Structures are given as C-alpha cells and as structure tokens.
Amino acid sequence: MVGAGISTPSGIPDFRSPRSGLYSSLQQYDLPYPEAIFELTFFSHNPKPFFTLAKELYLRSYRPNVIHYFLRLLHDKGLLLRLYTQNIDGLERVSGIPASKLVEAHGSFASATCTVCRRPSPGKDIWADVAVDRIPRCPVCTGVVKPDIVFFGEALPQRFLMHVVDFPMADLLLILGTSLEVEPFASLSEAVQSSVPRLLINRDLVGPFAWHPRSRDVVQLGDVVHGVERLVELLGWTEELQDLIQQETEKV
Ligand code: APR
C-alpha cells in the first residue's frame, strides 16, 4: 500500500506534509478549503483550479525513484501479489510494474470522462487544452471533460474490489509513504490476517500503527528512501536494484 510519500523523492509534493504538502500551497486558487480542489461539487462550479494544478503537476515529466523500482524488483522476483496505490502520477506504471499487478485506487490521468454525457476519452486528449489554460470540453455535448481520478465522494474503480481476495491472501504487508487518512483505502491496512507482519516505512507513525498496533508490526520511521534502501540492503538486493535502475534509466 503506497501514498504520495513515495513520489516526493521524484519531486511531486505530497498532500499533508506541513509547508511542503500540496494542501499548504493552494492559496493562489482561492478555494474554500484545500480538499475542495478534488471535490465534484466545487469542480462543477469552477473546474479551473483543478486544471491549473493538473497542468502544474502533470504536464512536467517526472521519473520513478528508488522506491518505485524496489516495488518493480519485488514484482520481477515474483514476490508482489499486488500494489495498491493512492497516487495519480502513474509512476508505478512508468517503473514497469504491469497493470495486472496494479490497483490505482484513486484513479489516474490515463483516461477521462465527460461530466455531462459520460463519453469516455483517452486521458492524453485533455492536455492540449490544459497546456493553454483552456477547460477541456466534450466534442459531443461540450460538457467539461474530467480525468478519471477519484474525487472525494466518487466511487473507487472496480479494480479496488480485488482487495477482498488479495489482502486475506497476503503473507506480508508493506505500507510506504502514506498518512492513512483517506478511506476506504486506509482500512486496507487492517485487512490482512492478524498473523501477517505489517511493515510501515514513513516519516511519521500513522493509522493503526499509532492507535491499534499488532504484535507483528514493524515500523521504520524517517525518510522513506533511507528506509527502503536499508530494507534492500538487509535483503542483499542493493546491486540488483542499482542495475535495474540503471537499465531503466538508460531506456529513457
Ligand atoms: N519520507 C518519509 N515519509 C514521507 C516523505 C518522505 N520523503 N514524504 C512524505 N512522507 C509521508 C508524510 O509524512 C505523510 O505521512 O508520507 C505521508 C503522505 O501523506 P499524504 O500527504 O496524506 O498523502 P496520501 O497518504 O497519499 O494521501 C491520501 O488523500 O488528498 C487525498 O486522494 C488524495 O490519494 C490522496 C489521499
């Protein structure tokens, strides 16, 4: 289970870190409160702040970092049952983790939907308008086209339901770079069997690790890159991971 904390090393701000988090830097958008930028009611009233943010954040190309490639290495070693991510930056896909192993619980920019006639379209179709500060509109009904990222109050993608099978099957749960503040994603942390070890690598103690710890919980607080690199070292995979990163970076 991962959150925005695994993409901060790639240069993408997370949401709730004091000062550096996105929710502390939205003053320019004149929002009633920060989360409004991801709320349907506000979006239907004024989609401009969202698209301005999308342009700022996602028209630049970011690269996966060592954490994404560690998760890719878990997959390459046949150890990754599934990666549940809250992130909408798509860096898990860019790192080479196949879509079959991914649950993008809060959606992604890969596809978009007209908010009026529900016409689906490829996510890439909105960027020409977004790049020049134009609101993307449906060619059929002229309704505003919204990327398929999950706004507060929206249903999560069907694939999220895979957790019903995945979590009871898991024999280890890694939780990296998330505040575990948003439901229903956060509750997944309690969905593994009580005998299953849960490893949290995060700057701060969050969710059930704080208020409802289990006997087999392991917590590595501090910088998430340092924590993952320490785990990789203990696993004896440091060289393998470096080779993977080099091979993937050369591809670009
Ligand atoms: N090292 C360690 N921890 C980090 C680092 C880092 N470099 N960067 C961030 N973190 C931690 C923060 O301390 C915080 O605990 O990662 C966590 C990020 O939490 P949030 O900013 O709340 O992000 P996330 O948990 O992904 O938010 C969940 O909220 O706004 C909605 O839909 C949005 O998917 C998002 C959801």
Side-chain angles (χ1 to χ4, degrees), residues 4 8 14-16 23 86 106 178-179 182 202-204 222 224:
T8 53
D14 69 6
F15 293 93
R16 295 174 178 82
Y23 288 152
Q86 300 169 91
H106 293 170
T178 177
S179 60
V182 173
N202 198 59
R203 185 173 296 128
D204 5 74
V224 64

Side-chain angles (χ1 to χ4, degrees), residues 179-194:
S179 60
L180 289 179
E181 294 249 346
V182 173
E183 295 298 357
F185 188 91
S187 296
L188 293 183
S189 58
E190 302 262 65
V192 290
Q193 312 274 355
S194 53

Side-chain angles (χ1 to χ4, degrees), residues 36-47:
I37 202 156
F38 292 117
E39 280 188 356
L40 276 182
T41 34
F42 184 84
F43 180 83
S44 50
H45 156 72
N46 176 10

